[in-house]
Amino acid sequence: MSRRIKRTQTRSDRPADRRKSERPKAEAARGAAAPAKRAPAKREAGPRSESGRGKSERVRAPREDRRDTFEPRGQRVAGGKPVRSGAERPERKPPAAPPPKKPEPETALLPTKVQTVVVTADENGMRVDRFLEARFPGLSFSHIQRIVRKGELRVNGKRADSKDRLEEGQSVRIPPLKLDAPKERGGLSEGERKTLESLKAMTLYEDDDVLVLNKPAGLAVQGGSGMTRHIDQMLEVMRDAKGQKPRLVHRIDRETSGCLLVAKTRFAATHLTGAFRHRSARKVYWALVAGVPKPKQGRISTYLAKEESEDDTIMRVAAHGDEGASHAVTYYAVVEASASKLAWVSLKPVTGRTHQLRAHMAHIGHPIVGDPKYFNIENWALPGGLQNRLHLLARRIVIPHPRGGVIDATAPLPPHMLQSWNLLGLEHDRFDPIENAPEE
C-alpha cells in the first residue's frame, strides 16, 4: 500500500523534463487501449490545476494507430479538448482540382451548311413545315415558307410543298439556315407574361398533350406579310424545357372566331393531324347568312380551286379535272330564321379546304354576313345595329384524344355575333340540328 502511494506521489512530483522523456513510453504502453477510450463521443473536462493541465492524463494514439484508423486530425477528443497538434494545424488535403468547365451552350441547332436527314418512323405522315419546326425549334414560319418556295428544300431530290406529307425513310435535303439558335430562356419578360395571360384567357380546354383555344376574330393563326402578332408567334412563350413549342394542328381564317386545336407535344401532333386526315374529327360552325336557304337542310358538293393575285387569294368553284381543283363537301342546317332576310345556319364541313364554308354559302346564294370576299348580293343593306364583320364561328370540335377518350370543346358567340343574335331575337341555346348530319 505504501509503495503504491509512493509511486503515485513520485510520478506527480517528477521534474517536467523527466515527465517529457517518459511520456512516449507511457503512450506506447497505452496504445492498445486507445481505441476503447475513444469510443465516447465527448467527455466532461476535468478540473484544471494551477499549471492549466487536468489531473487526468491526455492519451494520444501512436502514429501507426492514427494512420490505420483514418481519423481526421482535430476531430478526436481527449479530456474534453481536441488534441493540440490536430487543433492547431489544419488538415492537409491534396490540392483541389480545378472546377470543370461548364459546357458551352449549343449554338449549332440550325445547320450552317447543306445537310440531308432521313425521316424517322415517328415523323411519318408529318407535313414538311411541321417536320422543320420539330427538327429546328425556333425556326420561323416565314423562313420555312421562303426556303420551300425557292426550291431549296428537296425530298428524295424533288421540290416539295410545305403541306406535303413525308414518309418514313425519305431523304430531306435542308439548306443552310442562317439564323441564330434560340437563347436559353430565363424568366419571362413583361410582354411575354401578358402574352401567356392572353393565351390562358382564350383557353377552352388544356391537358399535358392538347390545348383548345377560343381564337378571337381578327387575330391571325399564322404570320403573313407585315403581320407581327398571331397565334403561332404567341405560342413561343409556351416552349418547354427542351425548346419545343406547341404546334398548330389546323387553321381557321383570321376573321373567324372559335375553336382552334393545338398540340403541346410531338406525340399529340402526330395523332391529331392523323385524325383530321382520316376525317375522324368533327367540326361544327355557326354562321349568319343572307336569306333563308331552301331546303332548310342540305349537302353542298363542289370542286374548289385557288385563285391568287398580288393582293388577295380567293377560292372559286371549279369543274372536276381543273388544275388545282379539290373536292369539297359541306352539310348545312337552318337553326332559326329572322323573317326572310337572315338565317342562323349551322355548318359541318366534311373536307377542310381554304375558305370552304364561305365559298359554299356564296355558291348557293346565301353568303355569310360581313364577308368581304364572298358576299356577292348587290344592293343588299345590312340591318341596323349589326356590325359589318364576318359572322362565322368555329362553334365546336370533337376529336379522339391521342391517349384515349374524346376531346369535346365548345366556343361561345364572339361579342359582335352575340350582339346580332340579341338584336334579331335568336335563341343561341336552341337545339342544333346539324348534330344529325352525316359524317361523309
Side-chain angles (χ1 to χ4, degrees), residues 17-190:
D17 57 339
R18 290 185 63 187
R19 289 201 301 272
K20 290 180 180 179
S21 64
E22 293 179 6
R23 187 179 300 164
K25 297 178 180 180
E27 291 174 349
R30 296 180 178 88
K37 292 184 180 181
R38 285 197 305 272
K42 290 185 179 181
R43 291 186 299 179
E44 292 294 327
R48 300 178 62 86
S49 64
E50 293 179 359
S51 63
R53 189 183 300 274
K55 291 184 179 181
S56 59
E57 281 289 323
R58 288 180 289 184
V59 180
R60 296 179 61 191
R63 294 182 181 274
E64 293 80 2
D65 183 55
R66 291 201 302 272
R67 285 197 298 270
D68 292 341
T69 57
F70 294 100
E71 290 183 339
R73 292 183 174 182
Q75 301 299 317
R76 290 171 293 175
V77 177
K81 295 177 59 179
V83 177
R84 182 178 300 171
S85 59
E88 295 176 353
R89 289 185 294 178
E91 179 185 357
R92 293 184 180 180
K93 297 180 180 178
K101 293 184 179 180
K102 295 182 179 180
E104 295 292 331
E106 295 183 3
T107 56
L109 293 176
L110 300 177
T112 56
K113 59 182 180 180
V114 175
Q115 66 173 349
T116 301
V117 298
V118 178
V119 179
T120 65
D122 185 49
E123 296 164 335
N124 184 50
M126 290 182 69
R127 284 175 30 160
V128 169
D129 52 0
R130 302 287 184 265
F131 171 82
L132 291 174
E133 288 177 357
R135 286 276 184 147
F136 308 106
L139 191 61
S140 68
F141 173 78
S142 59
H143 193 74
I144 292 173
Q145 297 301 314
R146 183 165 62 251
I147 63 175
V148 170
R149 185 174 64 251
K150 291 182 177 180
E152 296 176 351
L153 183 138
R154 302 267 176 160
V155 178
N156 286 350
K158 299 180 180 179
R159 293 177 68 118
D161 188 79
S162 60
K163 296 180 181 180
D164 289 347
R165 302 283 177 178
L166 297 173
E167 297 179 3
E168 180 183 358
Q170 287 183 325
S171 297
V172 182
R173 175 194 180 274
I174 300 173
L177 305 176
K178 299 177 182 179
L179 295 175
D180 295 332
K183 298 180 180 178
E184 294 184 3
R185 296 191 63 85
L188 295 177
S189 67
E190 180 80 17

Side-chain angles (χ1 to χ4, degrees), residues 286-288 333-336 342-346 421 426-428 430:
W286 282 2
L288 187 67
V334 176
V335 183
E336 194 174 356
L342 296 167
W344 164 16
V345 175
S346 185
W421 259 239
L426 303 176
E427 300 176 6
H428 55 79
R430 285 192 57 171

